[in-house]
Amino acid sequence: MSILLFVMLGVFIFMMFRRNKKTQQQQAELQSKFGPGVDVMTSFGLFGRIVDIDEAENKVTLELSPGNTATVHRQAVTKIVEPAAVPEAVAPAVPDDASSITGQEITAPETGTPAQPAETPDETPKRLNDEGKKDI
């Protein structure tokens, strides 16, 4: 019984050291990517761009906004911020004047289904009432 306890204690200690080693490797990999011009976030939520790194004193100078800088400890910088991908804007389907003459069907660009004509304020309550009667 005591052997089992020692084995479990050994496995627990092994897992602790393994996790610490993995965390240290990730931190070292992150700090190797640091350099002037990299956008980063600190552990306390401050965003900025690295201007200068002082290896001797473990300090990083961040530019928070044009002309405003802050000096933080190197370990306070915890994340490299990647620029967000901007989705391409979809141009709305605007019919030309000839589409009503040619009889071409106008489709919504998002779904590809035929676009519905705009209804008047008087038609909306009528349509909503009719939809309620169909379900019953």
Side-chain angles (χ1 to χ4, degrees):
M1 186 68 154
S2 62
I3 295 174
L4 181 62
L5 288 174
F6 283 119
V7 169
M8 290 181 65
L9 181 64
V11 169
F12 179 71
I13 291 172
F14 172 75
M15 295 300 279
M16 277 187 358
F17 284 123
R18 183 171 175 235
R19 185 180 333 144
N20 286 343
K21 186 177 180 181
K22 194 179 283 189
T23 303
Q24 287 174 354
Q25 286 176 346
Q26 289 175 347
Q27 188 70 19
E29 180 182 326
L30 177 70
Q31 293 207 2
S32 70
K33 294 179 182 178
F34 288 168
V38 177
D39 290 330
V40 295
M41 183 181 86
T42 62
S43 59
F44 44 91
L46 192 63
F47 289 88
R49 178 171 286 139
I50 295 177
V51 176
D52 185 39
I53 300 174
D54 185 3
E55 298 284 344
E57 296 191 25
N58 280 335
K59 292 183 180 179
V60 176
T61 304
L62 299 177
E63 182 179 33
L64 307 176
S65 63
N68 294 324
T69 60
T71 303
V72 296
H73 193 274
R74 186 175 179 139
Q75 289 180 344
V77 180
T78 57
K79 184 178 180 183
I80 294 177
V81 179
E82 301 294 329
V86 179
E88 292 183 26
V90 178
V94 178
D96 58 349
D97 293 334
S99 65
S100 59
I101 297 172
T102 60
Q104 293 177 345
E105 190 172 301
I106 302 168
T107 59
E110 300 85 20
T111 60
T113 58
Q116 299 294 325
E119 47 185 36
T120 64
D122 295 332
E123 293 173 335
T124 303
K126 184 177 185 300
R127 179 185 53 86
L128 293 174
N129 286 333
D130 291 342
E131 286 179 3
K133 292 177 184 174
K134 291 178 187 175
D135 294 336
I136 296 177

